[in-house]
Amino acid sequence: MRGGRTFPLIPLLTGLMLLAWPFLIGFGLTHNSLQWLLPVMALMLLLRLRQAQRNRGPMRYVVQCVALAGIALCAASYLLKTHQWLLFYPVVVNLVMLAVFGGSLWTAMPLVERLARLREPDLPPEGVRYTRRVTLVWCGFFIGNGAMALFTVLHGDLHLWTLWNGMVAYILMGTLMATEWLVRQRVIKKEMHND
């Protein structure tokens, strides 16, 4: 590692591990193999935390909180020998995201606006209003997705938990992102015609 740069393989591996969390946990629980999987997952989360501490930007604290939550759940699962704690990770992720996105609505600049200003520092007033609405939409998503993730934990069906948290939630998130991008393009095009 020269010049303090992070080797790109580590961010890729940690990102893939977090995306695959439901499948890894589902596999570990059904095949009774979490005793070796837990330390690997905790190590990946520690690496993710270290990367987040080096990064600057609006999502830094989100990544740190999510990594710390994952580490705490891995530790609780390992120490208490109750691996069901790991099922709460998607619930915690949604709570963290809701707290960060929702909390930013009470600041001078909501999180989506901060992200938008990375690309467009001179965001017009219409853009500011739009980013506030998008932040509210994401808050609604995190409430709904978090509630469904909690339901899948409490319902106790590992297949349902894996299906929702490993596939359906990602499809819904991707759909929301794509829809927001399409709407944003229309808003930008409309602003250009009005100028």
Side-chain angles (χ1 to χ4, degrees), residues 2-16:
R2 289 182 200 153
R5 290 186 153 209
T6 305
F7 187 62
L9 183 62
I10 301 298
L12 177 67
L13 285 175
T14 58
L16 288 174

Side-chain angles (χ1 to χ4, degrees), residues 166-181:
M167 187 168 45
V168 176
Y170 291 134
I171 290 170
L172 291 174
M173 190 180 303
T175 302
L176 179 56
M177 290 170 84
T179 303
E180 190 277 320
W181 184 84

